[in-house]
Amino acid sequence: MTKKDIAVLVGSLREASINLKLARAMQKVAPDGLNLQIVAIGDLPLYNQDLETGTPPPEWTSFRDRIRVCDGAIFVTPEYNRSVPAALKNAIEVGSRPFGKSVWDHKPGAVTGASPGLIGGAVAALQLRVILTNINVPTMPQPEVYLSGADKLIGDHGVFLNEGTQKFIESFLIAFEGWVNRF
């Protein structure tokens, strides 16, 4: 069985980001059928349609090429002011343009997020689901993962600090593997 190539996009750009720690921890517990690779989004110039004329920025081209070949994507989003972070929204825009050439079209996805707060990024995740629907990313409906108090659940080196959280994330990834295999 060939491993499915899964792009993991982390909305936070901080090196000490809880969401980056979650992405790294997911890499360590992913089922054998998934290869989770974090795709950097911090160096993408802001989307500007004027830059599509001629040669688009090389960062856009390499990002689009990377997403085009993956089998699915996991979006790991923090919540900034009850919304999706600008860097993640920009990456989605870059991949969805130019019109008619979206690299996201029919790419199975999943949404997760982590926060030290009580709602675990659920509002941003809900908004992200709406965005992904608009660009034709079939997003796994269940299970949903919004880790509240995540600063106490994930260690600095991308490891889960308790067995319950790890088992929950493992079940999420197993479900996502099944989701990706449907497409």
Side-chain angles (χ1 to χ4, degrees), residues 75 84 89 92-93 96 102 104-111 124-141 144 179:
F75 299 84
V84 177
K89 181 70 165 75
I92 292 168
E93 299 300 334
S96 70
S102 174
W104 300 115
D105 194 35
H106 295 290
K107 191 80 59 181
V111 174
L126 178 60
Q127 291 179 7
L128 183 54
R129 286 178 174 278
V130 171
I131 294 165
L132 295 175
T133 298
N134 185 61
I135 60 170
N136 205 23
V137 172
T139 307
M140 184 174 74
E144 295 180 297
W179 182 254

Side-chain angles (χ1 to χ4, degrees), residues 31-87:
D32 289 340
L34 297 180
N35 181 28
L36 276 57
Q37 293 296 315
I38 297 171
V39 177
I41 62 173
D43 63 346
L44 294 173
L46 290 176
Y47 184 76
N48 175 344
Q49 188 172 348
D50 290 344
L51 298 178
E52 292 288 4
T53 58
T55 304
E59 298 89 350
W60 290 4
T61 301
S62 62
F63 177 77
R64 290 168 176 164
D65 290 346
R66 174 63 185 101
I67 299 303
R68 188 176 290 107
V69 300
C70 74
D71 297 305
I74 298 175
F75 299 84
V76 185
T77 185
E79 185 170 294
Y80 293 171
N81 300 314
R82 298 285 190 255
S83 188
V84 177

Side-chain angles (χ1 to χ4, degrees), residues 19-41:
N19 285 275
L20 180 58
K21 291 175 188 178
L22 172 58
R24 289 178 176 154
M26 287 192 312
Q27 285 179 307
K28 292 177 182 173
V29 301
D32 289 340
L34 297 180
N35 181 28
L36 276 57
Q37 293 296 315
I38 297 171
V39 177
I41 62 173

Side-chain angles (χ1 to χ4, degrees), residues 67-181:
I67 299 303
R68 188 176 290 107
V69 300
C70 74
D71 297 305
I74 298 175
F75 299 84
V76 185
T77 185
E79 185 170 294
Y80 293 171
N81 300 314
R82 298 285 190 255
S83 188
V84 177
L88 185 56
K89 181 70 165 75
N90 185 56
I92 292 168
E93 299 300 334
V94 167
S96 70
R97 305 291 180 193
F99 182 77
K101 295 183 179 180
S102 174
V103 297
W104 300 115
D105 194 35
H106 295 290
K107 191 80 59 181
V111 174
T112 184
S115 169
L118 295 177
I119 59 173
V123 176
L126 178 60
Q127 291 179 7
L128 183 54
R129 286 178 174 278
V130 171
I131 294 165
L132 295 175
T133 298
N134 185 61
I135 60 170
N136 205 23
V137 172
T139 307
M140 184 174 74
Q142 293 290 329
E144 295 180 297
V145 174
Y146 314 120
L147 291 181
S148 59
D151 55 326
K152 295 170 182 57
L153 301 174
I154 308 165
D156 287 337
H157 302 290
V159 294
F160 293 106
L161 300 178
N162 68 60
E163 186 177 347
T165 303
Q166 180 172 327
K167 295 284 185 204
F168 178 57
I169 296 301
E170 287 172 353
S171 69
F172 167 78
L173 292 170
I174 289 168
F176 184 63
E177 180 180 25
W179 182 254
V180 170
N181 286 331

